[in-house]
């Protein structure tokens, strides 16, 4: 699920870079690319460690990317992709894991909530909700989050499994994938950012698009909750089946289906149980038999 969220945001940021870039400053862009090359060389070749090296360099790259006309988030994405995320011999954590551990409290606890707070500051009333489902722009946002994400992720995965050597994990069902695809319709930070960039000339429409993002995300949450709860019931039943041990030998029955001794023990247990119930039935039909 985390990989899905990262890839989803990555493609959205690439869309920002391609479709929302106007005038390019090639000198600044070249400087940003050169800075990224230095970043990669220090990190991958020289194996330099120390935040005091990378933080100033990252700020320079970010500033150059911003002044180049390309959205500055591309700089962060590029540097993130350069991080090594696999552990080498003797390492307790990879550079990517260490940085993720250090940055997560500030990112999840401060940056993302502040961005959402300032970006989604729009009043959602009855008139605004009515406009969401009548204007083509806002209706497109809602349908894109609720329907587009589900169809795109599920359909893309199915096509990949159908026409390549890739396959769905044996531990998952296509129903599970569809439920998670619907859950991916929760669009917040990046969706709000694209909404702001797409309708900069119409502040009123920008606010309505923000409201549409919130409504679409809410609908996706509700639908995904229903689907995931249904799938959870299936797995609860499967778990109960896997843990059933009717012959009380300490081994779940599901692992002994080909064992004749297991079936004999079950037959004996059922016969004993049947005899017990017959005795109770006879005692009920003839109450005096017990006293005699």
């Amino acid at each position: 699920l985390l990989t899905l969220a990262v890839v989803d945001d990555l493609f959205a940021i690439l869309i920002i870079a391609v479709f929302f870039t106007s005038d390019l400053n090639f000198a600044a862009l070249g400087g940003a690319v050169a800075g990224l090359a230095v970043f990669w060389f220090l990190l991958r070749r020289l194996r330099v460690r120390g935040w005091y090296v990378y933080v100033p360099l990252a700020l320079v790259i970010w500033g150059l990317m911003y002044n180049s006309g390309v959205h500055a988030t591309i700089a962060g994405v590029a540097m993130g992709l350069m991080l090594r995320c696999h552990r080498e011999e003797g390492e307790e954590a990879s550079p990517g894991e260490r940085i993720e551990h250090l940055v997560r409290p500030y990112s999840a606890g401060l940056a993302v909530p502040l961005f959402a707070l300032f970006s989604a500051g729009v009043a959602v009333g009855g008139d605004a909700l009515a406009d969401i489902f009548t204007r083509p722009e806002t209706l497109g946002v809602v349908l894109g989050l609720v329907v587009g994400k589900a169809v795109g992720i599920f359909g893309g995965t199915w096509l990949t499994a159908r026409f390549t050597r890739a396959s769905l994990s044996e531990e998952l069902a296509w129903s599970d994938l569809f439920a998670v695809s619907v859950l991916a319709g929760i669009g917040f930070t990046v969706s709000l950012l694209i909404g702001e960039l797409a309708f900069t000339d119409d502040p009123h429409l920008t606010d309505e698009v923000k409201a549409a993002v919130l409504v679409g995300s809410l609908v996706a949450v509700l639908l995904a909750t229903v689907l995931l709860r249904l799938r959870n019931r299936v797995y609860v039943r499967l778990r109960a089946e896997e843990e059933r041990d009717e012959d009380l030998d300490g081994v779940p029955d599901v692992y002994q289906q080909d064992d004749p001794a297991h079936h004999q023990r079950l037959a004996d247990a059922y016969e004993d149980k049947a005899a017990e119930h017959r005795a109770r039935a006879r005692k009920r039909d003839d109450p005096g038999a017990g006293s005699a």
Side-chain angles (χ1 to χ4, degrees):
L1 184 59
L2 179 60
T3 301
L4 174 61
V6 171
V7 173
D8 183 34
D9 285 350
L10 177 60
F11 275 103
I13 291 172
L14 290 176
I15 290 174
I16 292 173
V18 173
F19 294 101
F20 296 101
T21 298
S22 53
D23 298 329
L24 284 177
N25 183 335
F26 288 99
L29 182 60
V33 172
L36 289 171
V38 172
F39 185 92
W40 179 86
F41 187 77
L42 292 174
L43 183 68
R44 290 301 189 95
R45 293 298 184 183
L46 299 183
R47 302 295 178 93
V48 175
R49 293 188 178 185
W51 63 269
Y52 46 84
V53 175
Y54 294 106
V55 170
L57 179 59
L59 291 174
V60 171
I61 295 171
W62 184 90
L64 289 170
M65 190 70 74
Y66 177 81
N67 285 284
S68 71
V70 178
H71 202 279
T73 52
I74 301 301
V77 172
M79 287 184 282
L81 291 174
M82 290 180 185
L83 290 175
R84 177 170 55 83
C85 295
H86 64 274
R87 300 179 186 180
E88 295 185 347
E89 186 177 355
E91 285 187 330
E92 295 183 358
S94 67
E97 290 173 324
R98 289 196 298 270
I99 292 177
E100 190 268 344
H101 179 73
L102 291 173
V103 172
R104 180 190 291 177
Y106 304 101
S107 174
L110 182 64
V112 173
L114 283 178
F115 176 84
L117 177 65
F118 288 111
S119 295
V122 56
V124 180
D127 294 338
L129 291 176
D131 290 340
I132 288 174
F133 294 100
T134 55
R135 297 195 61 167
E137 298 90 347
T138 51
L139 182 59
V141 171
V142 175
L143 293 178
L145 291 173
V146 178
V147 180
K149 284 288 188 71
V151 172
I153 294 171
F154 183 83
T157 306
W158 184 86
L159 290 173
T160 301
R162 176 67 176 81
F163 295 106
T164 69
R165 295 183 179 180
S167 61
L168 193 66
S169 171
E170 294 181 355
E171 298 180 355
L172 294 175
W174 286 104
S175 302
D176 301 321
L177 178 64
F178 182 73
V180 174
S181 301
V182 174
L183 183 65
I186 303 174
F188 210 56
T189 52
V190 177
S191 298
L192 292 171
L193 178 59
I194 291 179
E196 287 184 354
L197 294 173
F199 303 103
T200 53
D201 297 333
D202 190 341
H204 180 68
L205 181 56
T206 300
D207 288 342
E208 290 184 345
V209 167
K210 292 178 182 179
V213 169
L214 299 179
V215 171
S217 299
L218 178 60
V219 173
V221 167
L222 295 176
L223 290 176
T225 299
V226 173
L227 294 174
L228 290 172
R229 287 181 68 88
L230 291 175
R231 293 304 302 164
N232 184 61
R233 291 181 182 178
V234 173
Y235 285 110
V236 168
R237 289 198 299 269
L238 290 175
R239 181 177 179 180
E241 288 291 332
E242 290 181 351
E243 294 179 349
R244 180 181 299 172
D245 183 18
E246 293 189 12
D247 59 353
L248 303 177
D249 65 343
V251 180
D253 297 340
V254 69
Y255 300 112
Q256 302 183 82
Q257 295 303 308
D258 297 328
D259 184 4
H262 163 70
H263 294 287
Q264 184 60 51
R265 287 192 298 270
L266 283 179
D268 295 341
Y270 287 140
E271 289 174 0
D272 293 342
K273 203 71 174 176
E276 179 184 347
H277 285 293
R278 291 192 191 99
R280 290 184 179 182
R282 286 194 298 268
K283 185 176 181 181
R284 182 177 180 181
D285 293 338
D286 186 8
S291 58

